[in-house]
Amino acid sequence: MSGIRTTCAYCGVGCGISATVTGARSVEIRGDADHPANHGRLCSKGTHLGETTSLEGRLLHPMIGTKRAGWDKALDLVAKRFRDTIAEHGPNSVAFYVSGQLLTEDYYVANKLMKGFIGSANIDTNSRLCMSSAVAGHLRAFGEDVVPASYSDLDQADLVILVGSNTAWCHPVVYQRILAARAARGTRIVVIDPRRTETCEDADLHLAIRPGSDVALFNGLLAHCRDAGLLDEAYLSRSVDVPDDFWARQGEGSDLWSVARDCDVPPADLRRFFELFAAHPRTVTLFSQGVNQSLRGTDQVNAILNVHLATGRIGKPGAAPFSITGQPNAMGGREVGGLATTLAAHMDFAPENVARVGRFWGTPNVAAKPGLKAVDLFRSIGEGRIKALWIMATNPAVSMPDAGAVREALAACPFVVVSDCIADTDTTRLAHVTLPAAGWGEKDGTVTNSERVISRQRRLFDLPGEAMPDWWIIKEVGRRMGWVGEFAYSRPADIYREHARLSTYQNAGARRFDIGRHAAISNADYADMAPWRWGGEGFADGRFSTPNGRARLVPVAQAPLQAPLARWPMTLNTGRYRDQWHTMTRTGLSPRLSSHRREPMVEVHPLDATGLGIAEGDLARVATPQGESIFRATLSEGQRRGELFTPIHWTDRQSSGGRTGLLPRALVDPHSGQPGFKATPASVTRVAVEWRGFLIARDEPGAIDALWATRVRVAQGWLVELAGDGDPARLVRELLPRGERIETIDSARGQMRHAVLSDGRLVAALYLSRDHSLPPRDWLIAQLSEAAGPTPVELLAGRSAAPAPDCGPIVCVCFDVGIKTILAAIADRKLASVEAVGAALSAGTNCGSCRPAIQRLITNAQEVVNG
Ligand SMILES: Nc1nc2c(c(=O)[nH]1)N[C@H]1C(S)=C(S)[C@@H](COP(=O)(O)OP(=O)(O)OC[C@H]3O[C@@H](n4cnc5c(=O)[nH]c(N)nc54)[C@H](O)[C@@H]3O)O[C@H]1N2
Ligand SMILES: Nc1nc2c(c(=O)[nH]1)N[C@H]1C(S)=C(S)[C@@H](COP(=O)(O)OP(=O)(O)OC[C@H]3O[C@@H](n4cnc5c(=O)[nH]c(N)nc54)[C@H](O)[C@@H]3O)O[C@H]1N2
Ligand code: SF4
Ligand SMILES: [Mo]
């Protein structure tokens, strides 16, 4: 069986996969050795994609309310409600909210329907929350949203600066590529992040800057470059416009001491950073959400671009500013113009562009001005001005800032359509119509990754139930709204050809985004298309997409850094876990991926925690003016004092706590409209609970009424962590299935342990404790998979009668290796490298995602030894 070449479902690295279908819904995943993004490597998420292709939880039929409906009926209803709303209230009373997880073909049709035919630009995307500051920064500096970098620059760089990027967890294959380059040629790595993440493990230098002080840092670097004679005067005079007062404004407050103070880093570290930069012209500055998701995101982007332009470190091998994208097709969305602020094919709303796109699409109706950006869009829904909304491939009831207000807006909106693969999400719960979309492995089309490489995603499985691809659903609604000929696509290739033709239509070199070479691609060639990069090597010719062909330095000043507020003394930073993807609709199906972090945790600096009376493992309430939610507290030296970090992944579906989305405020960057997710004024307090416990169950438990109940998948079942007040006996009645019961109640110690067996096999176990002592979960979880059941004595002890080592939390999910096993091996066998640990335990030798964590354990052990 030879593999089908496709791309990974997750991040913007865009790894190629070779997939061998082994059954109706099963597939073997291998990295595609020929794909330029990954050359065969995959991270933990890509490696375990095969665990997410079951039909569990899938939306398989169109639904109107809670009733199943045929496609005709559902599509007619959507078309009619949109048509009626437009007739009564005008085109701006309707909106689409779409996603970087759509394929380019889906995105193109959605954009064409809204901007070209409905005649409104009220289509925005979750990329607004993700990339829009980078887009706005690129437009200001380059005149076009082009990422002037490729992964091969990372292979050739001497210095890689990672700014606001937890690359080791969020773009693991890129991270491995950087480490490979370091091994081969000694590349230096600098990480700029307020937190000490696993990305810092292999860094030469980590600057734990004050959040939001990135402009001060890069302006300081630029001033240093000027003083040290590092500006590339020839490049500046040939290729860059510099505003008259640029250098005068730039100089203020940019001396080393002031910058060190603003950024709150040791001056010696800052000097070291400047010296590394001076010594290594081949520099790539790779940046992500720590830069973009800020109220000053666009200025932060331009502060980075200014440094690269002024030193000529752009458009050359190994030298580039590199905005790395999050979602698999964030870039494709930018290319079709899926943001409310862009029109199509890298054109904006200038009158000549509106006219040109209208000619091409054959419509007089093209929207003449930008539409509402995501945060304004949902505000407008809440205010009743938008009356019909169609959400595709995103879960805004979780992922928008101030998600509580977003839910209220959705609940009040007269007509909400959601296209998703999953039946029950926090957003589908608020829909009037839900449409079953084809998911990864069923979809067919193209995506563009961070380095502008267009790759095919190919279908592996038949469409399940009545699911249909997004492009089909959208064009069917377009046709039913009256535009039959304009939406007459039969296959993704039809759409791709049209998209390619639009990109080249009357372009004449004005826009780099020109994929005209595929304007007439045959169906067969489209089917076989190999990955390819548009726009060549970016701006290697030193010409930019501005009217005069020159890039621009953009004056940016550090915004005042605010002192904490008395009522909200902490700053909440939010982000990702290594093995979960966003709202967990897919990675949450994988027991292996769920073993890395089983609960949503709030990370607190130990000294802050002591002051607040919070201990490791306590529950803690994080509150902001927008809302509050409870997390498991974990103390971390990697946090700055005064800062908290929580993960974005948990939703109402899995949890009564850990709801990060409720906490950030709906404030945005003035240029891009991107929310400042990384710094929300907050407070944290310990939550005292009378009892704690956990449930292990083969069948998915229903809704659980407890103060704290967070669930994850485990092999053959579910694990729910529980805590609350009052009489927990109620839970025993509510949560345990019928069957042979074994139980022990130790009232003196406040312990209750119940296990339910069926035919001698464990089906559920509930352990509750008032003194908070509970057995490790893993042995019990393993019993769900054992054919021969455990003995009653073992069950009630929560451990095997034969003494077995407790391996601790899993670090390597590919080989199930726990932290205690690794620590013991490091100590006993004197292992001093990640390779040695791999040779001894296999840990870290498959996907490699856990290698930074293993490195951290080795470093810690050595620090202990060396005192
Ligand atoms: N495992 C996993 N990988 C993913 C995803 C996922 O859900 N899970 N999602 C994908 C998507 S869509 C995206 S957008 C990317 C995001 O990828 P990243 O941007 O790497 O991830 P985040 O965890 O959001 O945040 C990155 C870092 O920014 C830091 N930061 C916070 N404030 C500041 C600041 O003021 N300055 C600086 N310099 N840094 C700051 C945070 O401490 C954090 O470590 O990941 C993609 N990859
Ligand atoms: N506090 C805080 N909030 C954040 C962030 C943060 O760092 N902090 N990061 C932001 C960022 S960068 C991002 S990208 C967003 C991500 O946030 P979301 O986009 O809301 O998260 P996902 O869970 O990826 O939602 C995708 C949905 O689409 C469905 N889906 C998957 N494939 C398809 C398909 O092909 N078709 C259709 N129709 N549906 C599909 C999935 O089942 C899922 O329900 O979160 C943002 N929110
Ligand atoms: S780095 Fe991991 S998640 Fe991202 S595309 Fe590659 S395999 Fe998928
Ligand atoms: Mo993102």
Side-chain angles (χ1 to χ4, degrees):
M1 261 184 297
S2 71
I4 298 175
R5 292 208 168 138
T6 183
T7 43
C8 177
Y10 302 114
C11 84
V13 177
C15 295
I17 279 177
S18 168
T20 308
V21 178
T22 52
R25 296 294 303 184
S26 58
V27 60
E28 252 174 51
I29 302 287
R30 251 189 316 261
D32 176 354
D34 295 333
H35 197 286
N38 57 319
H39 302 300
R41 294 193 193 102
L42 294 175
C43 78
S44 49
K45 293 182 295 300
T47 300
H48 298 294
L49 254 172
E51 287 185 29
T52 67
T53 54
S54 77
L55 293 181
E56 182 180 330
R58 279 294 294 267
L59 176 65
L60 293 172
H61 306 282
M63 308 283 289
I64 298 177
T66 53
K67 284 210 180 67
R68 213 172 126 170
W71 269 114
D72 271 328
K73 196 164 168 207
L75 292 167
D76 283 342
L77 177 67
V78 174
K80 179 174 178 343
R81 288 295 298 260
F82 270 78
R83 233 181 15 234
D84 291 353
T85 308
I86 295 162
E88 196 175 336
H89 304 284
N92 290 321
S93 65
V94 301
F96 295 168
Y97 183 60
V98 304
S99 161
Q101 292 170 71
L102 292 174
L103 302 179
T104 299
E105 291 75 5
D106 306 324
Y107 232 134
Y108 177 89
V109 183
N111 193 53
K112 177 178 175 181
L113 176 58
M114 183 51 85
K115 289 186 185 140
F117 291 84
I118 290 176
S120 163
N122 282 346
I123 169 170
D124 209 36
T125 133
N126 62 1
S127 288
R128 180 71 58 195
L129 318 180
C130 182
M131 314 306 320
S132 60
S133 294
V135 173
H138 289 156
L139 287 170
R140 291 204 295 188
F142 307 148
E144 185 176 355
D145 175 28
V146 176
V147 176
S150 66
Y151 301 144
S152 63
D153 287 316
L154 296 166
D155 307 336
Q156 300 170 71
D158 294 314
L159 172 65
V160 174
I161 308 172
L162 304 171
V163 196
S165 162
N166 188 3
T167 328
W169 280 14
C170 296
H171 298 96
V173 167
V174 156
Y175 187 69
Q176 290 178 27
R177 194 154 172 171
I178 296 169
L179 294 191
R182 192 179 76 145
R185 66 201 308 276
T187 313
R188 301 303 193 94
I189 302 173
V190 176
V191 178
I192 296 165
D193 190 315
R195 284 196 307 154
R196 184 175 174 86
T197 61
E198 281 186 8
T199 303
C200 303
E201 276 324 302
D202 298 281
D204 297 276
L205 178 67
H206 169 216
L207 294 178
I209 62 168
R210 190 197 306 273
S213 66
D214 298 73
V215 170
L217 181 71
F218 281 91
N219 279 359
L221 175 61
L222 185 55
H224 170 81
C225 290
R226 189 166 188 240
D227 295 344
L230 295 172
L231 300 190
D232 186 338
E233 301 291 352
Y235 190 77
L236 282 169
S237 70
R238 203 173 53 238
S239 292
V240 186
D241 278 339
V242 184
D244 288 339
D245 58 347
F246 182 84
W247 294 110
R249 287 167 66 180
Q250 205 62 34
E252 292 159 24
S254 288
D255 62 286
L256 185 91
W257 300 101
S258 307
V259 174
R261 191 198 53 224
D262 286 347
C263 299
D264 191 26
V265 294
D269 285 358
L270 190 62
R271 187 187 303 277
R272 176 124 184 272
F273 173 48
F274 291 176
E275 286 167 1
L276 280 169
F277 191 87
H280 300 295
R282 286 178 176 238
T283 304
V284 173
T285 304
L286 183 145
F287 59 95
S288 184
Q289 299 313 341
V291 173
N292 295 336
Q293 285 174 342
S294 157
L295 302 185
R296 312 272 176 249
T298 308
D299 282 358
Q300 292 177 170
V301 169
N302 285 109
I304 293 171
L305 302 184
N306 284 346
V307 169
H308 277 267
L309 286 167
T311 55
R313 298 182 189 200
I314 182 168
K316 297 176 187 147
F322 197 166
S323 152
I324 192 157
T325 53
Q327 298 176 90
N329 199 31
M331 285 287 250
R334 284 148 75 167
E335 289 152 17
V336 305
L339 289 157
T341 39
T342 55
L343 175 54
H346 280 203
M347 284 176 271
D348 63 11
F349 289 88
E352 64 275 18
N353 290 334
V354 172
R356 181 182 307 118
V357 173
R359 271 196 303 282
F360 181 84
W361 280 339
T363 165
N365 238 0
V366 175
K369 59 175 180 41
L372 293 171
K373 305 185 188 100
V375 169
D376 294 334
L377 185 88
F378 281 93
R379 192 172 291 133
S380 206
I381 295 165
E383 291 165 358
R385 282 181 284 131
I386 287 177
K387 299 166 199 300
L389 172 71
W390 188 355
I391 297 166
M392 306 173 202
T394 176
N395 198 352
V398 183
S399 56
M400 284 289 292
D402 197 359
V406 166
R407 283 156 188 244
E408 283 167 27
L410 288 173
C413 184
F415 190 59
V416 177
V417 183
V418 177
S419 303
D420 207 293
C421 315
I422 299 295
D424 179 23
T425 73
D426 291 26
T427 300
T428 58
R429 288 177 181 184
L430 296 161
H432 300 99
V433 178
T434 37
L435 302 175
W440 184 85
E442 299 148 14
K443 311 198 272 191
D444 189 43
T446 56
V447 292
T448 310
N449 72 3
S450 287
E451 55 160 1
R452 282 180 277 116
V453 166
I454 298 180
S455 301
R456 291 277 277 109
Q457 248 189 43
R458 293 188 170 92
R459 182 183 286 192
L460 311 174
F461 307 117
D462 290 339
L463 292 170
E466 291 182 87
M468 291 299 284
D470 288 286
W471 65 266
W472 182 91
I473 304 174
I474 306 159
K475 70 109 183 166
E476 280 300 313
V477 170
R479 288 163 70 89
R480 284 158 210 254
M481 290 181 75
W483 300 294
V484 177
E486 292 86 347
F487 291 88
Y489 310 110
S490 313
R491 55 183 72 77
D494 295 343
I495 304 164
Y496 181 78
R497 278 188 288 269
E498 184 178 310
H499 171 51
R501 275 196 292 121
L502 175 56
S503 76
T504 200
Y505 179 66
Q506 298 175 350
N507 183 337
R511 300 175 299 280
R512 295 267 165 155
F513 178 67
D514 182 341
I515 58 168
R517 65 185 257 196
H518 282 164
I521 191 172
S522 69
N523 292 340
D525 287 347
Y526 178 81
D528 291 343
M529 189 198 296
W532 70 285
R533 168 180 295 108
W534 66 260
E537 296 311 314
F539 300 113
D541 54 0
R543 286 196 56 78
F544 293 84
S545 307
T546 50
N548 68 2
R550 296 161 67 87
R552 309 179 192 111
L553 295 191
V554 180
V556 289
Q558 174 63 50
L561 294 159
Q562 269 155 10
L565 310 166
R567 170 81 183 79
W568 310 107
M570 309 296 283
T571 303
L572 173 67
N573 177 7
T574 61
R576 293 159 168 81
Y577 280 167
R578 187 187 83 193
D579 290 351
Q580 292 295 352
W581 177 262
H582 298 164
T583 69
M584 290 166 71
T585 53
R586 286 172 297 173
T587 45
L589 297 171
S590 160
R592 280 177 186 275
L593 293 178
S594 298
S595 67
H596 178 243
R597 291 281 184 274
R598 283 189 175 142
E599 290 180 287
M601 293 184 286
V602 53
E603 288 168 46
V604 194
H605 190 279
L607 293 176
D608 288 337
T610 308
L612 292 159
I614 297 173
E616 179 75 31
D618 277 350
L619 294 184
R621 178 177 284 109
V622 180
T624 71
Q626 293 65 242
E628 57 175 56
S629 194
I630 295 173
F631 297 80
R632 179 80 71 199
T634 180
L635 312 193
S636 160
E637 301 269 1
Q639 286 292 112
R640 284 171 55 100
R641 296 287 313 268
E643 282 185 44
L644 307 171
F645 180 85
T646 62
I648 62 175
H649 308 294
W650 273 262
T651 70
D652 274 357
R653 266 178 93 219
Q654 304 106 341
S655 163
S656 62
R659 290 294 325 285
T660 291
L662 303 174
L663 305 173
R665 42 191 181 170
L667 292 183
V668 300
D669 174 273
H671 305 285
S672 66
Q674 179 155 356
F677 281 123
K678 297 287 188 254
T680 308
S683 67
V684 60
T685 45
R686 176 169 183 270
V687 180
V689 285
E690 290 175 6
W691 51 263
R692 287 189 203 166
F694 63 87
L695 169 75
I696 286 165
R698 185 164 302 166
D699 297 327
E700 183 174 5
I704 298 176
D705 180 19
L707 182 68
W708 169 261
T710 63
R711 72 182 66 190
V712 287
R713 275 321 281 268
V714 296
Q716 310 296 325
W718 298 82
L719 165 68
V720 188
E721 293 287 336
L722 295 159
D725 297 324
D727 180 10
R730 172 180 61 83
L731 292 177
V732 178
R733 289 193 301 275
E734 288 172 11
L735 296 182
L736 288 179
R738 281 176 208 286
E740 179 196 339
R741 281 279 175 105
I742 298 171
E743 52 191 42
T744 130
I745 297 176
D746 175 348
S747 337
R749 293 181 59 209
Q751 299 268 8
M752 285 165 88
R753 294 182 173 189
H754 301 260
V756 181
L757 298 140
S758 165
D759 298 330
R761 295 184 60 175
L762 184 68
V763 290
L766 178 65
Y767 287 44
L768 300 164
S769 153
R770 286 188 190 276
D771 71 358
H772 300 177
S773 60
L774 291 160
R777 319 302 188 249
D778 290 283
W779 179 81
L780 275 162
I781 291 169
Q783 301 316 304
L784 289 176
S785 315
E786 297 292 325
T791 66
V793 175
E794 287 178 317
L795 267 181
L796 295 175
R799 53 179 62 90
S800 166
D806 163 20
C807 327
I810 300 296
V811 173
C812 170
V813 298
C814 294
F815 294 108
D816 269 334
V817 188
I819 194 165
K820 293 188 181 172
T821 311
I822 299 175
L823 284 173
I826 292 172
D828 301 347
R829 300 194 230 171
K830 311 252 172 314
L831 306 180
S833 69
V834 175
E835 285 66 33
V837 171
L841 303 172
S842 296
T845 56
N846 184 39
C847 78
S849 286
C850 63
R851 292 169 66 93
I854 297 172
Q855 180 61 53
R856 155 101 44 110
L857 296 175
I858 294 168
T859 312
N860 285 352
Q862 287 166 345
E863 277 166 8
V864 170
V865 170
N866 301 331

